Amino acid sequence: MEFSKVLEERRSVRNYNNKALLPDTIKNILEYAILAPSAHNRQPWYFVVIQNQDKKKKIGDTLEEKMGLEGKKTCDVIREAQALILVFADIEDTIMDLVSVGASIENMILKARDLGVASLWMGYILNIEDEVKKMVGVDKKLVSAVALGYTLSFPSKRPRKDLEEVSYWLGEI
Ligand SMILES: Cc1cc2nc3c(=O)[nH]c(=O)nc-3n(C[C@H](O)[C@H](O)[C@H](O)COP(=O)(O)O)c2cc1C
């Protein structure tokens, strides 16, 4: 897909179908995630891939049990999407490393869209950070989770603030 089109057509997707997501496709997406820039080239990211239905269900159920119905849709996505990628960071410098890991997540969801794979970036999982770390046996900072899978239709574009509202050109050229 043309690069600008990938940016324009990426969406947060909350409805997934049953079409299988091949491990090679996930690997391909992660290969692009690790091309992201990082502060001092520390590459502080670490990804845990979960395709096992029972394990995904356990994470979705744990989140729903703790948080109630408020974020149920996110819990459903965790249970229903074909893969859940837990994204961790090795933190040396908090802001720099978190921003770097964020860049890798953006690469991930853009490459996914390029391949026709739907995604959802989920911060809500942080509500069960300790539980998740224990479940997967990783002692790093949990940053986010990303759901990956296929959808029957990508939703339409969500609203954006006007560029004028969020930018300012200082001085004259
Ligand atoms: C850091 C971050 C955390 C997010 N966490 C969640 C989440 O837990 N659940 C969810 O449904 N969407 C989550 N989103 C998706 C946003 O709601 C979404 O990006 C926004 O509404 C704009 O929609 P779009 O991505 O389709 O353009 C998150 C996005 C980001 C960048």
Side-chain angles (χ1 to χ4, degrees):
M1 201 187 256
E2 201 242 319
F3 182 66
S4 300
K5 222 172 158 50
V6 172
L7 296 179
E8 284 163 15
E9 299 200 352
R10 181 212 55 80
R11 295 285 183 276
S12 293
V13 172
R14 298 181 178 87
N15 287 294
Y16 292 83
N17 62 24
N18 291 328
K19 186 177 164 188
L21 179 62
L22 298 177
D24 273 357
T25 305
I26 299 174
K27 201 171 163 220
N28 189 217
I29 290 168
L30 291 177
E31 278 162 355
Y32 280 82
I34 65 171
L35 292 182
S38 62
H40 301 281
N41 201 15
R42 269 204 292 271
Q43 305 166 57
W45 39 71
Y46 192 77
F47 308 100
V48 174
V49 180
I50 306 177
Q51 284 213 276
N52 179 280
Q53 278 301 335
D54 292 341
K55 293 201 162 68
K56 285 197 302 94
K57 184 174 182 314
K58 193 169 173 214
I59 292 174
D61 290 351
T62 304
L63 188 54
E64 191 172 324
E65 274 158 30
K66 183 158 182 186
M67 302 306 292
L69 293 179
E70 176 206 339
K72 186 177 183 309
K73 191 69 221 170
T74 298
C75 303
D76 287 340
V77 168
I78 291 171
R79 289 180 285 240
E80 286 164 17
Q82 281 70 32
L84 180 70
I85 318 291
L86 301 172
V87 185
F88 293 90
D90 279 311
I91 303 283
E92 270 182 48
D93 174 313
T94 309
I95 293 182
M96 292 292 192
D97 292 327
L98 289 179
V99 169
S100 301
V101 173
S104 78
I105 297 173
E106 180 71 3
N107 271 21
M108 196 192 305
I109 62 180
L110 290 176
K111 183 59 192 175
R113 185 65 190 91
D114 183 41
L115 297 172
V117 174
S119 68
L120 182 67
W121 183 335
M122 297 174 290
Y124 194 62
I125 193 138
L126 293 176
N127 287 300
I128 52 165
E129 175 171 8
D130 291 344
E131 294 88 331
V132 166
K133 283 164 68 166
K134 206 177 277 175
M135 270 183 226
V136 299
V138 173
D139 190 22
K140 300 175 190 287
K141 173 84 190 87
L142 181 64
V143 176
S144 285
V146 176
L148 295 174
Y150 291 98
T151 186
L152 289 180
S153 65
F154 284 86
S156 48
K157 187 184 173 202
R158 272 75 185 228
R160 288 296 187 266
K161 295 175 183 173
D162 288 338
L163 182 57
E164 289 69 32
E165 192 187 334
V166 297
S167 64
Y168 171 61
W169 293 52
L170 184 65
E172 288 170 25
I173 296 171

